[in-house]
C-alpha cells in the first residue's frame, strides 16, 4: 500500500489550496457531532481510531448524496443485464461508520456536490465539492496507513467513486492515472477470492474495466498494474455470461497490447519491413477472431433507420442515420467496449503500416501494394466501428427506449440516462479524437460528448480544475 499512499498524498496536496479556500460557513466542520444523524450514526468509538473528521449532515449534504444516488445508482433492468451499476454503494455507504471509515462518505459528497454545482451553476457548491474531495483523499490516506487494514469493499468502492469524480470533474493533466496503480494494487491484495462473491465480482469488474481502458488509451503496460487478472478470470466458469464477457475483453486487451508492443519495436529497434508486415497480418487474424465472439441471442440487437424512429414523435437532437436498439444499455456498453478496443488496435496497425510505407526502399516493391490494401481495410474498419458507436448514442442517453420509441422527458429514467452517458464517455472521447474518423463522425462525437457532460454532471463550474 505504500506506493498507493504516496500517489494519493501527491494528489491530495494539489487540492490543499482548494480545501483551504472553501467558505467555512458552508463547509462541513471538523468537530461536528454526527451521533444524532440517522445517516451517519453508528459506532463512534471505532470511528475515533482515525484522526480525520467525519462529515456532518446538513440538508445540503443530504441533497448532494441523494442527487448522486439518483444519477448513478442503477438496478438490473432485465434478466440478461449485469447486476446494475454501483448498486452495492448504498449498502456500503450505510455500513461505513461501523468500520470506522469515512472516506467513502467524503467521496460520495464530493461527487454529489460536483453534480449539484453543474445543475445549479453555483461556485460555492463547487468549492464544497473540492473540499470534500480533498478530505476523501486525506481520510483514505489515513485508513491506508493502518497496517492491519485490509483493502475491503469499502476502501475499493472509495477509490472507484474518487476515480469517477476525477474522470468527470478534473482535467486529465492533473489526475491521469492518479489512482490506477492503487486500484490495481488493491485488486492484487484482494486476490482471486474476490471474484467468488457477487459484491466482490461487481467491484472487480468496475475496477478492472477502468484499468484496461486506461492501459489501452494511454499505451500503458499491463505488467505494471495487474498481470495476474487474466489468469484469475481464465479459471472461472465460462458458462456464466459475465465471465465469458470478461474473458473476451481480456483477450481484446491482450491483442491491443501486442499491437502496441509491435509499434514500440518498430520505433525503437527498426524491424525489417517484411517482419512488420508479417506481424500486422497476424494481428489482423486475431482481430478477425474477435468479430465472432458477439454471437447468440444475448448479443442480438436491432438496427433501424432514423425515419422509422421520427415517425413516433418530434425529436430535439439530430439522430444518426442508423440506430442500434439493444436489450439494455449494459449490452450496448459491452459492444462499445469491444468496438473501442478494436478501434485502438487498428489505429496501432495503421501507425505500423505508416512507418512501413514511409520507408519505400527498393525491396518494398514486392509487397507495398499488399500493405496499402491492409491500410485501406483497417481505415474502413475504424470508420465502420466509429459509426456503430455513434449509432448507440440515442438509446444510451435516453432519447429512445429499447423498443425504438421516443421517450418523453417525464418517462426518462435519470439514473440510466446518466449511467448510459457515462458508459459512452470512453468510446466517444476516442472517436472524437480519431484522425482516421470522418469529419462528420468527429462532429457527431463532439455533439454526443456535450450531451454526456450534461447528463453526467460534468461541469465547467469547478473552475480551472474542471476544464476537461
Amino acid at each position: 500500500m505504500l506506493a498507493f499512499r504516496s500517489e494519493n498524498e501527491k494528489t491530495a496536496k494539489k487540492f490543499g489550496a482548494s480545501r483551504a479556500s472553501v467558505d467555512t460557513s458552508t463547509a462541513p466542520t471538523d468537530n461536528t457531532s454526527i451521533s444524532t444523524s440517522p445517516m451517519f450514526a453508528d459506532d463512534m468509538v471505532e470511528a475515533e481510531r482515525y484522526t480525520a473528521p467525519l462529515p456532518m449532515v446538513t440538508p445540503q449534504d443530504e441533497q448532494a448524496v441523494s442527487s448522486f444516488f439518483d444519477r448513478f445508482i442503477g438496478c438490473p433492468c432485465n434478466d440478461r443485464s449485469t447486476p446494475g451499476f454501483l448498486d452495492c454503494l448504498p449498502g456500503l455507504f450505510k455500513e461505513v461508520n461501523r468500520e470506522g471509515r469515512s472516506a467513502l462518505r467524503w467521496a460520495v459528497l464530493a461527487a454529489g456536490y460536483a453534480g449539484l454545482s453543474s445543475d445549479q451553476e453555483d461556485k460555492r457548491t463547487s468549492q464544497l465539492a473540492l473540499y470534500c474531495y480533498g478530505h476523501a483523499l486525506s481520510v483514505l490516506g489515513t485508513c491506508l496507513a493502518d497496517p492491519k487494514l485490509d483493502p475491503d469493499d469499502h476502501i475499493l468502492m472509495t477509490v472507484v467513486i474518487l476515480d469517477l469524480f476525477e474522470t468527470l470533474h478534473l482535467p486529465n493533466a492533473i489526475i491521469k492515472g492518479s489512482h490506477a496503480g492503487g486500484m490495481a494494487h488493491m485488486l492484487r491484495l484482494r486476490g482471486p477470492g474476490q471474484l467468488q462473491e457477487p459484491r466482490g465480482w461487481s467491484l472487480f469488474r468496475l475496477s478492472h474495466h477502468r484499468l484496461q481502458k486506461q492501459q489501452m488509451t494511454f499505451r500503458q503496460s499491463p505488467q505494471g498494474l495487474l498481470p495476474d487478472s487474466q489468469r484469475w478470470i481464465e479459471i472461472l466458469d465460462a458458462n456464466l455470461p459475465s465471465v465469458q464477457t470478461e474473458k473476451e475483453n481480456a483477450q481484446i486487451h491482450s491483442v491491443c497490447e501486442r499491437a502496441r508492443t509491435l509499434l514500440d519495436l518498430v520505433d525503437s529497434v527498426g524491424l525489417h519491413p517484411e517482419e512488420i508486415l508479417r506481424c500486422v497480418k497476424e494481428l489482423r487474424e486475431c482481430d478477425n477472431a474477435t468479430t465472432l465472439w458477439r454471437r447468440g441471442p444475448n448479443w442480438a440487437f436491432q438496427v433501424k433507420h432514423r425515419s422509422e424512429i421520427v415517425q413516433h414523435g418530434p425529436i430535439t437532437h439530430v439522430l444518426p442515420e442508423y440506430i442500434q436498439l439493444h436489450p439494455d444499455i449494459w449490452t450496448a456498453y459491452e459492444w462499445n467496449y469491444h468496438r473501442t478496443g478494436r478501434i485502438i488496435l487498428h489505429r496501432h496497425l495503421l501507425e505500423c503500416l505508416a512507418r512501413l510505407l514511409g520507408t519505400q526502399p527498393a525491396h518494398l516493391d514486392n509487397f507495398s501494394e499488399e500493405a496499402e490494401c491492409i491500410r485501406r481495410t483497417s481505415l474502413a474498419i475504424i470508420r465502420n466501428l466509429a459509426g456503430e458507436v455513434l449509432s448507440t448514442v440515442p438509446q444510451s442517453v435516453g432519447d429512445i427506449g429499447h423498443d425504438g420509441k421516443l421517450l418523453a422527458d417525464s418517462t426518462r429514467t435519470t439514473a440510466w440516462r446518466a449511467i448510459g452517458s457515462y458508459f459512452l464517455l470512453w468510446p466517444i472521447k476516442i472517436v472524437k479524437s480519431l484522425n482516421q474518423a470522418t469529419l462528420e463522425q468527429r462532429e457527431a462525437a463532439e455533439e454526443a460528448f456535450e450531451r454526456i457532460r450534461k447528463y453526467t454532471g460534468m461541469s465547467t463550474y469547478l473552475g480551472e480544475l474542471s476544464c476537461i
Side-chain angles (χ1 to χ4, degrees), residues 21 30 38 54 70 78 83 109 219 249 275 303 327 335 344-345 349-350 355 365 368 400 409 428 456:
S21 64
D30 290 357
L54 292 168
D70 286 346
N78 62 45
L109 280 171
R219 300 183 179 182
N249 287 345
E275 178 66 12
V303 179
W335 266 109
I344 292 172
L345 165 63
L349 295 185
L350 285 177
R355 309 291 199 279
D365 291 344
S368 59
I400 60 176
D409 287 338
I428 289 297
T456 59

Side-chain angles (χ1 to χ4, degrees), residues 34 40-43 47 54 95-101 105:
I34 61 174
F40 286 88
D42 268 319
D43 187 355
L54 292 168
E95 296 170 7
V96 71
N97 273 1
R98 186 172 293 113
E99 301 297 329
R101 304 180 187 96
R105 304 280 181 105

Side-chain angles (χ1 to χ4, degrees), residues 44-83:
M44 293 301 296
V45 175
E46 181 70 12
E48 288 173 359
R49 293 198 305 121
Y50 299 95
T51 58
L54 292 168
M56 66 178 285
V57 171
T58 67
Q60 192 176 10
D61 292 338
E62 296 274 6
Q63 182 186 8
V65 173
S66 178
S67 172
F68 180 76
F69 281 9
D70 286 346
R71 259 196 173 108
F72 287 105
I73 303 298
C75 296
C77 49
N78 62 45
D79 292 338
R80 292 183 294 180
S81 170
T82 49

